[in-house]
Amino acid sequence: MNSRRIAAVLAAAAIAPAVLLSTPAVAAAKPAGTAQATEIADRHRTAGWHGPDVTVTGPATLTAGNWAELKLTVDNRQGETTQDFVTDLDITGLTAVKTGKVDLEYRTQDGTWDQALGTGRYFRLRWGTVKKGDTFTTGLRVRFAPHVSGPARIMTYGNSNGGTEFADHLYMFDVLPAGKQ
């Protein structure tokens, strides 16, 4: 684990008590505003990250056993052209996630769904070169095993050439047991 990921994990751990004490559905129902997105981008630039920023958005609650559609946005309007750019997604908060009880797919350019690289709680999407000024959004969908329920989160990391890496965004939501709406 490189120093940027360690720093991101430590920062997440520092805010975890406040996050756990808040209701994830309420937090997720309030999408990040422009000021917050700008603050995140500015913090990344100050920390030495010069690539795209990545965000995941979706509903405040998901139902286990069903596919839930999300959106992933790669925004490089303030970054530099980045070669071999990948997005790592870390799905945490649910014990069952650690045992491989989650599927994650992304929408390809031809409109079909394809399995993201990875299993368990860690997944990777490869983008190749992302030019300075580029921004794009693609569909994601996630499905948890029917018995899974509880608060969860997806943390995204931008990564270039297996080197520089930075946590970009935290999307929080609740997973309802199968059959609940």
Short mmCIF file of all heavy atoms in Angstrom, two decimals, residues 95-168:
data_model
loop_
_atom_site.label_atom_id
_atom_site.label_comp_id
_atom_site.label_asym_id
_atom_site.label_seq_id
_atom_site.Cartn_x
_atom_site.Cartn_y
_atom_site.Cartn_z
N THR A 95 -20.10 -6.69 6.77
CA THR A 95 -19.27 -7.87 7.00
C THR A 95 -19.33 -8.83 5.82
O THR A 95 -18.32 -9.37 5.40
CB THR A 95 -19.72 -8.59 8.28
OG1 THR A 95 -19.66 -7.66 9.35
CG2 THR A 95 -18.84 -9.79 8.59
N ALA A 96 -20.52 -9.03 5.25
CA ALA A 96 -20.67 -9.99 4.15
C ALA A 96 -19.91 -9.57 2.90
O ALA A 96 -19.56 -10.41 2.08
CB ALA A 96 -22.15 -10.18 3.82
N VAL A 97 -19.65 -8.28 2.73
CA VAL A 97 -18.90 -7.82 1.56
C VAL A 97 -17.52 -8.45 1.56
O VAL A 97 -17.00 -8.82 0.52
CB VAL A 97 -18.82 -6.28 1.54
CG1 VAL A 97 -17.84 -5.80 0.48
CG2 VAL A 97 -20.19 -5.68 1.30
N LYS A 98 -16.93 -8.63 2.71
CA LYS A 98 -15.58 -9.17 2.80
C LYS A 98 -15.51 -10.62 2.34
O LYS A 98 -14.45 -11.13 2.07
CB LYS A 98 -15.07 -9.04 4.24
CG LYS A 98 -14.93 -7.60 4.67
CD LYS A 98 -14.58 -7.50 6.13
CE LYS A 98 -14.61 -6.05 6.55
NZ LYS A 98 -14.62 -5.89 7.98
N THR A 99 -16.63 -11.30 2.28
CA THR A 99 -16.64 -12.69 1.88
C THR A 99 -17.10 -12.89 0.43
O THR A 99 -17.52 -13.97 0.06
CB THR A 99 -17.53 -13.53 2.83
OG1 THR A 99 -18.87 -13.02 2.75
CG2 THR A 99 -17.02 -13.47 4.24
N GLY A 100 -17.03 -11.84 -0.37
CA GLY A 100 -17.34 -11.96 -1.79
C GLY A 100 -18.82 -11.98 -2.11
O GLY A 100 -19.23 -12.62 -3.07
N LYS A 101 -19.63 -11.31 -1.34
CA LYS A 101 -21.08 -11.32 -1.55
C LYS A 101 -21.57 -10.08 -2.29
O LYS A 101 -22.66 -9.60 -2.07
CB LYS A 101 -21.82 -11.43 -0.20
CG LYS A 101 -21.42 -12.63 0.62
CD LYS A 101 -21.76 -13.92 -0.08
CE LYS A 101 -21.45 -15.10 0.82
NZ LYS A 101 -21.41 -16.36 0.16
N VAL A 102 -20.74 -9.55 -3.20
CA VAL A 102 -21.13 -8.37 -3.96
C VAL A 102 -20.64 -8.51 -5.40
O VAL A 102 -19.59 -9.09 -5.66
CB VAL A 102 -20.56 -7.07 -3.31
CG1 VAL A 102 -19.06 -7.07 -3.30
CG2 VAL A 102 -21.09 -5.84 -3.99
N ASP A 103 -21.47 -8.03 -6.33
CA ASP A 103 -21.10 -7.98 -7.75
C ASP A 103 -21.07 -6.52 -8.17
O ASP A 103 -21.93 -5.74 -7.74
CB ASP A 103 -22.14 -8.70 -8.62
CG ASP A 103 -22.20 -10.19 -8.33
OD1 ASP A 103 -21.14 -10.84 -8.34
OD2 ASP A 103 -23.32 -10.69 -8.09
N LEU A 104 -20.12 -6.14 -9.01
CA LEU A 104 -20.04 -4.78 -9.51
C LEU A 104 -19.78 -4.84 -11.02
O LEU A 104 -18.87 -5.53 -11.47
CB LEU A 104 -18.91 -4.01 -8.83
CG LEU A 104 -18.79 -2.54 -9.24
CD1 LEU A 104 -19.93 -1.72 -8.63
CD2 LEU A 104 -17.46 -1.97 -8.81
N GLU A 105 -20.61 -4.13 -11.78
CA GLU A 105 -20.46 -4.06 -13.22
C GLU A 105 -20.46 -2.61 -13.66
O GLU A 105 -20.95 -1.73 -12.95
CB GLU A 105 -21.62 -4.81 -13.91
CG GLU A 105 -21.61 -6.30 -13.63
CD GLU A 105 -22.72 -7.04 -14.36
OE1 GLU A 105 -23.67 -6.40 -14.87
OE2 GLU A 105 -22.63 -8.28 -14.43
N TYR A 106 -19.91 -2.36 -14.85
CA TYR A 106 -19.89 -1.02 -15.42
C TYR A 106 -20.43 -1.09 -16.84
O TYR A 106 -20.39 -2.13 -17.50
CB TYR A 106 -18.46 -0.44 -15.41
CG TYR A 106 -17.50 -1.18 -16.31
CD1 TYR A 106 -17.22 -0.71 -17.58
CD2 TYR A 106 -16.90 -2.36 -15.89
CE1 TYR A 106 -16.35 -1.40 -18.42
CE2 TYR A 106 -16.03 -3.05 -16.71
CZ TYR A 106 -15.77 -2.57 -17.97
OH TYR A 106 -14.92 -3.25 -18.80
N ARG A 107 -20.95 0.04 -17.30
CA ARG A 107 -21.50 0.10 -18.66
C ARG A 107 -20.36 0.41 -19.62
O ARG A 107 -19.62 1.37 -19.44
CB ARG A 107 -22.58 1.16 -18.77
CG ARG A 107 -23.32 1.02 -20.11
CD ARG A 107 -24.58 1.81 -20.19
NE ARG A 107 -25.61 1.52 -19.24
CZ ARG A 107 -26.51 0.53 -19.33
NH1 ARG A 107 -26.43 -0.34 -20.31
NH2 ARG A 107 -27.45 0.40 -18.43
N THR A 108 -20.22 -0.43 -20.64
CA THR A 108 -19.17 -0.24 -21.64
C THR A 108 -19.61 0.79 -22.68
O THR A 108 -20.77 1.23 -22.69
CB THR A 108 -18.85 -1.57 -22.35
OG1 THR A 108 -20.02 -2.00 -23.06
CG2 THR A 108 -18.42 -2.64 -21.35
N GLN A 109 -18.69 1.17 -23.57
CA GLN A 109 -19.02 2.16 -24.60
C GLN A 109 -20.12 1.70 -25.53
O GLN A 109 -20.87 2.52 -26.05
CB GLN A 109 -17.77 2.52 -25.41
CG GLN A 109 -16.79 3.35 -24.63
CD GLN A 109 -15.60 3.77 -25.48
OE1 GLN A 109 -15.24 3.12 -26.45
NE2 GLN A 109 -15.00 4.89 -25.10
N ASP A 110 -20.27 0.38 -25.73
CA ASP A 110 -21.34 -0.10 -26.61
C ASP A 110 -22.67 -0.28 -25.87
O ASP A 110 -23.64 -0.75 -26.44
CB ASP A 110 -20.93 -1.39 -27.32
CG ASP A 110 -20.80 -2.58 -26.39
OD1 ASP A 110 -21.10 -2.47 -25.18
OD2 ASP A 110 -20.39 -3.65 -26.87
N GLY A 111 -22.72 0.11 -24.58
CA GLY A 111 -23.97 0.09 -23.82
C GLY A 111 -24.25 -1.20 -23.06
O GLY A 111 -25.25 -1.28 -22.36
N THR A 112 -23.37 -2.20 -23.16
CA THR A 112 -23.57 -3.44 -22.42
C THR A 112 -22.92 -3.35 -21.05
O THR A 112 -22.10 -2.47 -20.78
CB THR A 112 -22.99 -4.64 -23.20
OG1 THR A 112 -21.58 -4.43 -23.37
CG2 THR A 112 -23.66 -4.81 -24.56
N TRP A 113 -23.30 -4.27 -20.16
CA TRP A 113 -22.70 -4.34 -18.83
C TRP A 113 -21.55 -5.34 -18.84
O TRP A 113 -21.65 -6.40 -19.45
CB TRP A 113 -23.74 -4.77 -17.80
CG TRP A 113 -24.79 -3.74 -17.54
CD1 TRP A 113 -26.07 -3.77 -18.01
CD2 TRP A 113 -24.66 -2.55 -16.78
NE1 TRP A 113 -26.73 -2.64 -17.59
CE2 TRP A 113 -25.90 -1.88 -16.82
CE3 TRP A 113 -23.62 -1.96 -16.06
CZ2 TRP A 113 -26.12 -0.67 -16.18
CZ3 TRP A 113 -23.84 -0.76 -15.42
CH2 TRP A 113 -25.08 -0.12 -15.47
N ASP A 114 -20.45 -5.00 -18.16
CA ASP A 114 -19.30 -5.88 -18.07
C ASP A 114 -18.84 -5.92 -16.61
O ASP A 114 -18.89 -4.91 -15.90
CB ASP A 114 -18.16 -5.37 -18.96
CG ASP A 114 -17.10 -6.42 -19.23
OD1 ASP A 114 -17.27 -7.59 -18.81
OD2 ASP A 114 -16.09 -6.08 -19.85
N GLN A 115 -18.38 -7.08 -16.16
CA GLN A 115 -17.91 -7.25 -14.78
C GLN A 115 -16.66 -6.43 -14.55
O GLN A 115 -15.72 -6.47 -15.34
CB GLN A 115 -17.63 -8.73 -14.52
CG GLN A 115 -17.12 -9.05 -13.13
CD GLN A 115 -18.17 -8.84 -12.06
OE1 GLN A 115 -19.34 -9.12 -12.27
NE2 GLN A 115 -17.76 -8.34 -10.92
N ALA A 116 -16.63 -5.68 -13.44
CA ALA A 116 -15.42 -4.94 -13.05
C ALA A 116 -14.37 -5.95 -12.60
O ALA A 116 -14.69 -7.03 -12.09
CB ALA A 116 -15.74 -3.97 -11.93
N LEU A 117 -13.09 -5.62 -12.80
CA LEU A 117 -12.00 -6.47 -12.35
C LEU A 117 -11.99 -6.50 -10.83
O LEU A 117 -12.09 -5.46 -10.18
CB LEU A 117 -10.66 -5.93 -12.85
CG LEU A 117 -10.48 -5.85 -14.35
CD1 LEU A 117 -9.19 -5.10 -14.68
CD2 LEU A 117 -10.45 -7.24 -14.96
N GLY A 118 -11.90 -7.67 -10.25
CA GLY A 118 -11.83 -7.79 -8.80
C GLY A 118 -12.92 -8.66 -8.24
O GLY A 118 -13.82 -9.11 -8.94
N THR A 119 -12.82 -8.91 -6.93
CA THR A 119 -13.82 -9.69 -6.21
C THR A 119 -13.86 -9.21 -4.78
O THR A 119 -13.03 -8.41 -4.35
CB THR A 119 -13.47 -11.19 -6.21
OG1 THR A 119 -12.19 -11.36 -5.58
CG2 THR A 119 -13.46 -11.79 -7.60
N GLY A 120 -14.80 -9.74 -4.03
CA GLY A 120 -14.90 -9.37 -2.63
C GLY A 120 -15.34 -7.94 -2.48
O GLY A 120 -16.46 -7.60 -2.83
N ARG A 121 -14.45 -7.09 -2.03
CA ARG A 121 -14.80 -5.68 -1.82
C ARG A 121 -13.95 -4.72 -2.64
O ARG A 121 -14.18 -3.53 -2.61
CB ARG A 121 -14.71 -5.33 -0.36
CG ARG A 121 -13.35 -5.56 0.26
CD ARG A 121 -13.31 -5.21 1.70
NE ARG A 121 -12.80 -3.86 1.86
CZ ARG A 121 -12.22 -3.44 2.96
NH1 ARG A 121 -12.10 -4.21 4.00
NH2 ARG A 121 -11.77 -2.21 3.03
N TYR A 122 -12.95 -5.21 -3.36
CA TYR A 122 -12.06 -4.37 -4.15
C TYR A 122 -12.28 -4.60 -5.64
O TYR A 122 -12.24 -5.73 -6.11
CB TYR A 122 -10.59 -4.66 -3.83
CG TYR A 122 -10.21 -4.37 -2.41
CD1 TYR A 122 -10.03 -5.41 -1.51
CD2 TYR A 122 -10.05 -3.06 -1.97
CE1 TYR A 122 -9.68 -5.15 -0.19
CE2 TYR A 122 -9.71 -2.80 -0.65
CZ TYR A 122 -9.53 -3.84 0.23
OH TYR A 122 -9.20 -3.59 1.52
N PHE A 123 -12.48 -3.51 -6.37
CA PHE A 123 -12.71 -3.60 -7.81
C PHE A 123 -11.88 -2.53 -8.51
O PHE A 123 -11.53 -1.51 -7.92
CB PHE A 123 -14.19 -3.40 -8.14
CG PHE A 123 -15.05 -4.49 -7.57
CD1 PHE A 123 -15.62 -4.36 -6.32
CD2 PHE A 123 -15.28 -5.65 -8.29
CE1 PHE A 123 -16.41 -5.37 -5.79
CE2 PHE A 123 -16.06 -6.67 -7.78
CZ PHE A 123 -16.64 -6.53 -6.52
N ARG A 124 -11.59 -2.76 -9.80
CA ARG A 124 -10.78 -1.82 -10.58
C ARG A 124 -11.40 -1.65 -11.97
O ARG A 124 -11.82 -2.61 -12.60
CB ARG A 124 -9.36 -2.33 -10.72
CG ARG A 124 -8.50 -1.48 -11.65
CD ARG A 124 -7.05 -1.83 -11.55
NE ARG A 124 -6.53 -1.09 -10.39
CZ ARG A 124 -5.26 -1.06 -10.05
NH1 ARG A 124 -4.36 -1.73 -10.73
NH2 ARG A 124 -4.87 -0.37 -9.01
N LEU A 125 -11.42 -0.38 -12.43
CA LEU A 125 -11.86 -0.04 -13.78
C LEU A 125 -10.69 0.64 -14.48
O LEU A 125 -10.08 1.57 -13.93
CB LEU A 125 -13.06 0.92 -13.74
CG LEU A 125 -14.29 0.40 -13.00
CD1 LEU A 125 -15.33 1.50 -12.87
CD2 LEU A 125 -14.87 -0.81 -13.71
N ARG A 126 -10.35 0.20 -15.68
CA ARG A 126 -9.24 0.76 -16.44
C ARG A 126 -9.78 1.72 -17.50
O ARG A 126 -10.66 1.37 -18.26
CB ARG A 126 -8.44 -0.35 -17.12
CG ARG A 126 -7.79 -1.30 -16.15
CD ARG A 126 -6.92 -2.31 -16.88
NE ARG A 126 -6.38 -3.28 -15.96
CZ ARG A 126 -5.32 -3.08 -15.19
NH1 ARG A 126 -4.69 -1.94 -15.24
NH2 ARG A 126 -4.90 -4.02 -14.37
N TRP A 127 -9.19 2.93 -17.56
CA TRP A 127 -9.65 3.95 -18.51
C TRP A 127 -8.63 4.25 -19.59
O TRP A 127 -8.96 4.89 -20.57
CB TRP A 127 -9.98 5.24 -17.76
CG TRP A 127 -10.95 5.06 -16.65
CD1 TRP A 127 -10.70 5.18 -15.32
CD2 TRP A 127 -12.33 4.68 -16.75
NE1 TRP A 127 -11.83 4.91 -14.59
CE2 TRP A 127 -12.85 4.60 -15.45
CE3 TRP A 127 -13.18 4.40 -17.82
CZ2 TRP A 127 -14.17 4.27 -15.18
CZ3 TRP A 127 -14.49 4.05 -17.55
CH2 TRP A 127 -14.97 3.99 -16.24
N GLY A 128 -7.38 3.88 -19.41
CA GLY A 128 -6.35 4.26 -20.38
C GLY A 128 -5.97 5.72 -20.18
O GLY A 128 -5.88 6.20 -19.06
N THR A 129 -5.76 6.44 -21.28
CA THR A 129 -5.37 7.85 -21.19
C THR A 129 -6.60 8.72 -20.99
O THR A 129 -7.59 8.59 -21.71
CB THR A 129 -4.66 8.28 -22.49
OG1 THR A 129 -3.48 7.49 -22.64
CG2 THR A 129 -4.27 9.75 -22.43
N VAL A 130 -6.54 9.59 -19.99
CA VAL A 130 -7.58 10.59 -19.76
C VAL A 130 -6.92 11.94 -19.97
O VAL A 130 -6.02 12.33 -19.23
CB VAL A 130 -8.19 10.49 -18.35
CG1 VAL A 130 -9.25 11.56 -18.13
CG2 VAL A 130 -8.80 9.10 -18.12
N LYS A 131 -7.34 12.64 -21.03
CA LYS A 131 -6.71 13.91 -21.39
C LYS A 131 -7.15 15.04 -20.48
O LYS A 131 -8.24 15.02 -19.92
CB LYS A 131 -7.05 14.26 -22.84
CG LYS A 131 -6.46 13.29 -23.83
CD LYS A 131 -6.81 13.68 -25.24
CE LYS A 131 -6.22 12.66 -26.21
NZ LYS A 131 -6.59 12.93 -27.59
N LYS A 132 -6.27 16.02 -20.36
CA LYS A 132 -6.58 17.24 -19.61
C LYS A 132 -7.86 17.84 -20.19
O LYS A 132 -8.01 17.95 -21.40
CB LYS A 132 -5.42 18.23 -19.73
CG LYS A 132 -5.66 19.50 -18.95
CD LYS A 132 -4.45 20.42 -19.03
CE LYS A 132 -4.74 21.65 -18.19
NZ LYS A 132 -3.54 22.42 -17.96
N GLY A 133 -8.80 18.18 -19.32
CA GLY A 133 -10.06 18.77 -19.75
C GLY A 133 -11.18 17.77 -19.96
O GLY A 133 -12.35 18.15 -20.05
N ASP A 134 -10.86 16.47 -20.05
CA ASP A 134 -11.90 15.45 -20.25
C ASP A 134 -12.76 15.29 -19.01
O ASP A 134 -12.28 15.38 -17.88
CB ASP A 134 -11.27 14.07 -20.55
CG ASP A 134 -10.76 13.94 -21.96
OD1 ASP A 134 -10.98 14.86 -22.77
OD2 ASP A 134 -10.13 12.90 -22.26
N THR A 135 -14.03 15.01 -19.23
CA THR A 135 -14.94 14.60 -18.17
C THR A 135 -15.96 13.65 -18.78
O THR A 135 -16.41 13.86 -19.91
CB THR A 135 -15.62 15.81 -17.48
OG1 THR A 135 -16.42 15.33 -16.40
CG2 THR A 135 -16.45 16.63 -18.42
N PHE A 136 -16.26 12.56 -18.09
CA PHE A 136 -17.26 11.61 -18.59
C PHE A 136 -17.91 10.89 -17.42
O PHE A 136 -17.38 10.80 -16.33
CB PHE A 136 -16.65 10.62 -19.58
CG PHE A 136 -15.53 9.77 -19.04
CD1 PHE A 136 -15.80 8.55 -18.44
CD2 PHE A 136 -14.21 10.19 -19.15
CE1 PHE A 136 -14.77 7.77 -17.95
CE2 PHE A 136 -13.17 9.40 -18.67
CZ PHE A 136 -13.46 8.19 -18.07
N THR A 137 -19.12 10.41 -17.69
CA THR A 137 -19.89 9.66 -16.71
C THR A 137 -20.28 8.33 -17.33
O THR A 137 -20.65 8.26 -18.50
CB THR A 137 -21.15 10.45 -16.30
OG1 THR A 137 -20.75 11.69 -15.71
CG2 THR A 137 -21.99 9.67 -15.29
N THR A 138 -20.21 7.28 -16.53
CA THR A 138 -20.63 5.96 -16.98
C THR A 138 -21.50 5.32 -15.91
O THR A 138 -21.44 5.71 -14.74
CB THR A 138 -19.41 5.05 -17.31
OG1 THR A 138 -19.87 3.88 -17.96
CG2 THR A 138 -18.64 4.69 -16.07
N GLY A 139 -22.29 4.36 -16.31
CA GLY A 139 -23.13 3.65 -15.36
C GLY A 139 -22.36 2.57 -14.62
O GLY A 139 -21.46 1.94 -15.17
N LEU A 140 -22.69 2.42 -13.36
CA LEU A 140 -22.22 1.31 -12.54
C LEU A 140 -23.46 0.61 -12.02
O LEU A 140 -24.51 1.24 -11.89
CB LEU A 140 -21.44 1.80 -11.31
CG LEU A 140 -20.05 2.35 -11.45
CD1 LEU A 140 -19.52 2.76 -10.08
CD2 LEU A 140 -19.11 1.34 -12.07
N ARG A 141 -23.34 -0.64 -11.72
CA ARG A 141 -24.41 -1.29 -10.97
C ARG A 141 -23.80 -2.26 -9.99
O ARG A 141 -22.76 -2.87 -10.25
CB ARG A 141 -25.44 -1.93 -11.88
CG ARG A 141 -25.00 -3.09 -12.70
CD ARG A 141 -26.15 -3.58 -13.58
NE ARG A 141 -25.77 -4.78 -14.30
CZ ARG A 141 -26.57 -5.43 -15.11
NH1 ARG A 141 -27.80 -4.98 -15.30
NH2 ARG A 141 -26.17 -6.52 -15.72
N VAL A 142 -24.44 -2.34 -8.83
CA VAL A 142 -23.94 -3.16 -7.74
C VAL A 142 -25.08 -4.05 -7.25
O VAL A 142 -26.24 -3.64 -7.27
CB VAL A 142 -23.36 -2.28 -6.60
CG1 VAL A 142 -24.41 -1.39 -5.98
CG2 VAL A 142 -22.64 -3.12 -5.56
N ARG A 143 -24.73 -5.27 -6.83
CA ARG A 143 -25.73 -6.19 -6.29
C ARG A 143 -25.10 -6.92 -5.10
O ARG A 143 -24.02 -7.50 -5.20
CB ARG A 143 -26.15 -7.20 -7.35
CG ARG A 143 -27.17 -8.22 -6.85
CD ARG A 143 -27.62 -9.15 -7.94
NE ARG A 143 -26.49 -9.87 -8.52
CZ ARG A 143 -26.54 -10.56 -9.64
NH1 ARG A 143 -27.66 -10.63 -10.33
NH2 ARG A 143 -25.47 -11.18 -10.10
N PHE A 144 -25.81 -6.86 -3.97
CA PHE A 144 -25.39 -7.55 -2.77
C PHE A 144 -26.20 -8.83 -2.61
O PHE A 144 -27.35 -8.89 -3.04
CB PHE A 144 -25.60 -6.65 -1.53
CG PHE A 144 -24.74 -5.43 -1.55
CD1 PHE A 144 -25.21 -4.24 -2.08
CD2 PHE A 144 -23.45 -5.46 -1.05
CE1 PHE A 144 -24.42 -3.10 -2.11
CE2 PHE A 144 -22.64 -4.33 -1.09
CZ PHE A 144 -23.13 -3.16 -1.62
N ALA A 145 -25.63 -9.85 -1.99
CA ALA A 145 -26.34 -11.10 -1.74
C ALA A 145 -27.63 -10.80 -0.96
O ALA A 145 -27.67 -9.84 -0.17
CB ALA A 145 -25.45 -12.06 -0.96
N PRO A 146 -28.68 -11.59 -1.14
CA PRO A 146 -29.98 -11.31 -0.52
C PRO A 146 -29.96 -11.19 1.00
O PRO A 146 -30.76 -10.45 1.57
CB PRO A 146 -30.85 -12.50 -0.95
CG PRO A 146 -30.23 -12.98 -2.21
CD PRO A 146 -28.75 -12.75 -2.05
N HIS A 147 -29.05 -11.86 1.67
CA HIS A 147 -29.01 -11.80 3.15
C HIS A 147 -28.26 -10.59 3.70
O HIS A 147 -28.28 -10.34 4.90
CB HIS A 147 -28.36 -13.09 3.70
CG HIS A 147 -26.90 -13.17 3.40
ND1 HIS A 147 -26.42 -13.62 2.19
CD2 HIS A 147 -25.81 -12.84 4.14
CE1 HIS A 147 -25.10 -13.57 2.20
NE2 HIS A 147 -24.71 -13.10 3.37
N VAL A 148 -27.63 -9.80 2.85
CA VAL A 148 -26.81 -8.66 3.29
C VAL A 148 -27.71 -7.47 3.63
O VAL A 148 -28.67 -7.18 2.92
CB VAL A 148 -25.81 -8.27 2.18
CG1 VAL A 148 -25.08 -7.00 2.53
CG2 VAL A 148 -24.83 -9.41 1.94
N SER A 149 -27.40 -6.77 4.71
CA SER A 149 -28.11 -5.53 5.03
C SER A 149 -27.24 -4.68 5.95
O SER A 149 -26.35 -5.19 6.61
CB SER A 149 -29.46 -5.81 5.69
OG SER A 149 -29.29 -6.42 6.95
N GLY A 150 -27.51 -3.38 5.94
CA GLY A 150 -26.80 -2.46 6.83
C GLY A 150 -26.18 -1.30 6.08
O GLY A 150 -26.29 -1.19 4.86
N PRO A 151 -25.52 -0.40 6.82
CA PRO A 151 -24.87 0.75 6.19
C PRO A 151 -23.62 0.32 5.43
O PRO A 151 -22.92 -0.60 5.85
CB PRO A 151 -24.52 1.66 7.37
CG PRO A 151 -24.44 0.74 8.54
CD PRO A 151 -25.39 -0.39 8.27
N ALA A 152 -23.37 0.98 4.31
CA ALA A 152 -22.19 0.65 3.49
C ALA A 152 -21.67 1.91 2.83
O ALA A 152 -22.32 2.96 2.86
CB ALA A 152 -22.55 -0.40 2.45
N ARG A 153 -20.50 1.80 2.20
CA ARG A 153 -19.91 2.93 1.50
C ARG A 153 -18.99 2.42 0.40
O ARG A 153 -18.47 1.31 0.48
CB ARG A 153 -19.18 3.84 2.46
CG ARG A 153 -18.09 3.19 3.25
CD ARG A 153 -17.68 4.05 4.45
NE ARG A 153 -16.85 3.31 5.37
CZ ARG A 153 -17.30 2.53 6.34
NH1 ARG A 153 -18.59 2.39 6.53
NH2 ARG A 153 -16.47 1.89 7.13
N ILE A 154 -18.85 3.25 -0.62
CA ILE A 154 -17.91 2.98 -1.69
C ILE A 154 -16.91 4.13 -1.72
O ILE A 154 -17.30 5.29 -1.90
CB ILE A 154 -18.59 2.86 -3.07
CG1 ILE A 154 -19.58 1.68 -3.08
CG2 ILE A 154 -17.54 2.67 -4.18
CD1 ILE A 154 -20.38 1.56 -4.36
N MET A 155 -15.63 3.82 -1.53
CA MET A 155 -14.58 4.82 -1.62
C MET A 155 -13.88 4.63 -2.96
O MET A 155 -13.55 3.50 -3.32
CB MET A 155 -13.59 4.71 -0.48
CG MET A 155 -12.49 5.78 -0.55
SD MET A 155 -11.46 5.81 0.93
CE MET A 155 -12.47 6.87 1.95
N THR A 156 -13.66 5.72 -3.70
CA THR A 156 -12.98 5.63 -4.99
C THR A 156 -11.58 6.20 -4.85
O THR A 156 -11.33 7.14 -4.11
CB THR A 156 -13.74 6.42 -6.08
OG1 THR A 156 -13.84 7.79 -5.69
CG2 THR A 156 -15.12 5.84 -6.31
N TYR A 157 -10.66 5.58 -5.60
CA TYR A 157 -9.26 6.01 -5.66
C TYR A 157 -8.88 6.21 -7.11
O TYR A 157 -9.18 5.37 -7.95
CB TYR A 157 -8.32 4.95 -5.07
CG TYR A 157 -8.52 4.66 -3.63
CD1 TYR A 157 -9.42 3.70 -3.21
CD2 TYR A 157 -7.78 5.35 -2.67
CE1 TYR A 157 -9.60 3.43 -1.87
CE2 TYR A 157 -7.95 5.08 -1.32
CZ TYR A 157 -8.86 4.12 -0.93
OH TYR A 157 -9.03 3.85 0.41
N GLY A 158 -8.22 7.32 -7.41
CA GLY A 158 -7.63 7.52 -8.73
C GLY A 158 -6.21 7.00 -8.69
O GLY A 158 -5.52 7.14 -7.68
N ASN A 159 -5.73 6.41 -9.79
CA ASN A 159 -4.41 5.81 -9.80
C ASN A 159 -3.84 5.91 -11.21
O ASN A 159 -4.55 5.70 -12.18
CB ASN A 159 -4.54 4.34 -9.39
CG ASN A 159 -3.21 3.66 -9.19
OD1 ASN A 159 -2.23 3.97 -9.85
ND2 ASN A 159 -3.18 2.71 -8.29
N SER A 160 -2.58 6.27 -11.30
CA SER A 160 -1.92 6.41 -12.60
C SER A 160 -0.62 5.61 -12.61
O SER A 160 0.22 5.79 -11.73
CB SER A 160 -1.62 7.88 -12.85
OG SER A 160 -0.83 8.04 -13.99
N ASN A 161 -0.48 4.75 -13.60
CA ASN A 161 0.74 3.98 -13.78
C ASN A 161 1.16 3.22 -12.53
O ASN A 161 2.33 3.00 -12.28
CB ASN A 161 1.90 4.90 -14.21
CG ASN A 161 1.66 5.50 -15.57
OD1 ASN A 161 1.17 4.84 -16.46
ND2 ASN A 161 1.96 6.78 -15.70
N GLY A 162 0.18 2.83 -11.71
CA GLY A 162 0.49 2.08 -10.50
C GLY A 162 1.23 2.90 -9.47
O GLY A 162 1.71 2.37 -8.48
N GLY A 163 1.30 4.21 -9.65
CA GLY A 163 2.04 5.05 -8.73
C GLY A 163 1.14 5.95 -7.92
O GLY A 163 0.48 5.51 -6.99
N THR A 164 1.06 7.21 -8.30
CA THR A 164 0.30 8.20 -7.54
C THR A 164 -1.14 7.72 -7.37
O THR A 164 -1.79 7.30 -8.31
CB THR A 164 0.31 9.56 -8.27
OG1 THR A 164 1.65 9.93 -8.48
CG2 THR A 164 -0.41 10.60 -7.46
N GLU A 165 -1.63 7.82 -6.15
CA GLU A 165 -2.97 7.34 -5.85
C GLU A 165 -3.59 8.25 -4.80
O GLU A 165 -2.91 8.71 -3.90
CB GLU A 165 -2.86 5.92 -5.31
CG GLU A 165 -4.15 5.22 -5.15
CD GLU A 165 -3.89 3.77 -4.80
OE1 GLU A 165 -3.34 3.03 -5.61
OE2 GLU A 165 -4.26 3.41 -3.68
N PHE A 166 -4.89 8.53 -4.93
CA PHE A 166 -5.53 9.40 -3.96
C PHE A 166 -7.00 9.06 -3.83
O PHE A 166 -7.67 8.81 -4.83
CB PHE A 166 -5.38 10.86 -4.38
CG PHE A 166 -5.46 11.80 -3.21
CD1 PHE A 166 -4.32 12.17 -2.54
CD2 PHE A 166 -6.67 12.29 -2.78
CE1 PHE A 166 -4.38 13.03 -1.45
CE2 PHE A 166 -6.75 13.13 -1.68
CZ PHE A 166 -5.61 13.51 -1.02
N ALA A 167 -7.52 9.05 -2.61
CA ALA A 167 -8.95 8.82 -2.38
C ALA A 167 -9.71 10.05 -2.85
O ALA A 167 -9.42 11.16 -2.45
CB ALA A 167 -9.21 8.57 -0.91
N ASP A 168 -10.65 9.83 -3.74
CA ASP A 168 -11.39 10.94 -4.32
C ASP A 168 -12.73 11.19 -3.66
O ASP A 168 -13.12 12.33 -3.49
CB ASP A 168 -11.67 10.66 -5.81
CG ASP A 168 -10.43 10.80 -6.65
OD1 ASP A 168 -9.61 11.67 -6.35
OD2 ASP A 168 -10.27 10.03 -7.60
#
